[in-house]
Amino acid sequence: MQVQQLVIVWSFKVLLAGAETPTITYTFTKTCAAEGSTVLLPCSFTPSTEVIGAEGKDPRKIVRVLWCRKHPICHVTAPSVFDSEAPDTDSRFQYLGDKKGNCTLQITNIQLEDAETYRFRMEAEDPAGHFTNRTGVTVRVEENPLMSVTGSNGSEVRGQTVSLQCTTSSCTFHGVSITWLKDDHALPETGPTLHLGPLTAKDSGNYSCALGTKRRSGLFRLQVEADSAGGTSHVILAVVLAVLLVGIALIVLFFLIKRRRAAERQSAVERQRSVGVLPSGNRGAAQRTDPNTEDVSYAAIHFKASNPSREVQSDADDVVYSAVVSRG
């Protein structure tokens, strides 16, 4: 009875503290690789927690990590490809993780016999913290897969984005080391998918993907074309500018012609003045102001008879006119 009470009390404390169970997460559970290539199996884990008195809980300390194959829980005699307590494992299997949360495994120069399901296991100081995710990651190895690049119709519009996929008819790549080439020049991007964009004319070319140095896909031609809407707008803008320039040229030409005609009329007037011929409207003014015109002054002289008795032939006074002509 006393033992049962202790078990109940301990269980209650664990629930009250909210102790968590360990977890192991694989990014994917299936992948395919070509013989001789490199495969990456991303993985993460969270250790279980333990009750620390009244202070709450604390993650258990992990003291051993391992990857195994051909065994559901990687326990005891299970063949391991990596064991932190056995450093003499196959060097083709490299553990890129740690004992805190990262459990990624990398397989280089993978062979046909490496086609297996791989599982990760962690072990804590307390056996209660030991855990294996039985799902694992199943790796299939192809001897000579036929590779190809897909994901685009080959003709793309400038400014958009496109994703190219490196695939085979029998394989779906995950975590496989794939390199990309454009016009036989290596690109910095790696992985099954190549993202391009925003596209420019420089992105046009022949693309291919490769596994290592021996296997390579056929060429994929990508042609980046100008945006039709953008091209139309450029044409409209060019037409508007052309019309504007023609209008400005016509206005300038109109004022030049008008100015030239005014100058010609002024020159004609000057020539007419020089020869003394002007239009009728200006003739009176010219006659009044021409210095060559003779000025004539008339003077009248009246004579009266000194002898009133003298018989005069004419009843009217005799008037003698003299003209005095003065020249400027």
Side-chain angles (χ1 to χ4, degrees), residues 250-270:
L250 290 176
I251 293 174
V252 173
L253 182 61
F254 172 76
F255 281 106
L256 289 176
I257 294 175
K258 185 176 181 180
R259 183 175 180 181
R260 182 176 178 181
R261 289 181 176 177
E264 290 177 350
R265 286 196 298 268
Q266 182 66 25
S267 178
V269 170
E270 295 294 335

Side-chain angles (χ1 to χ4, degrees), residues 28 40 77 81 84 109 126 190 257 323:
F28 48 83
L40 195 69
T77 59
V81 296
S84 60
N109 191 24
D126 185 349
T190 60
I257 294 175

Side-chain angles (χ1 to χ4, degrees), residues 299-318:
I301 303 175
H302 297 271
F303 294 92
K304 293 185 177 182
S306 59
N307 189 0
S309 62
R310 186 179 175 179
E311 192 177 73
V312 181
Q313 297 292 330
S314 175
D315 295 334
D317 294 337
D318 293 334

Side-chain angles (χ1 to χ4, degrees), residues 265-292:
R265 286 196 298 268
Q266 182 66 25
S267 178
V269 170
E270 295 294 335
R271 287 196 301 271
Q272 291 172 355
R273 286 179 178 177
S274 65
V275 297
V277 179
L278 286 175
S280 59
N282 297 329
R283 188 172 298 166
Q287 290 177 350
R288 290 193 300 269
T289 60
D290 191 347
N292 295 325

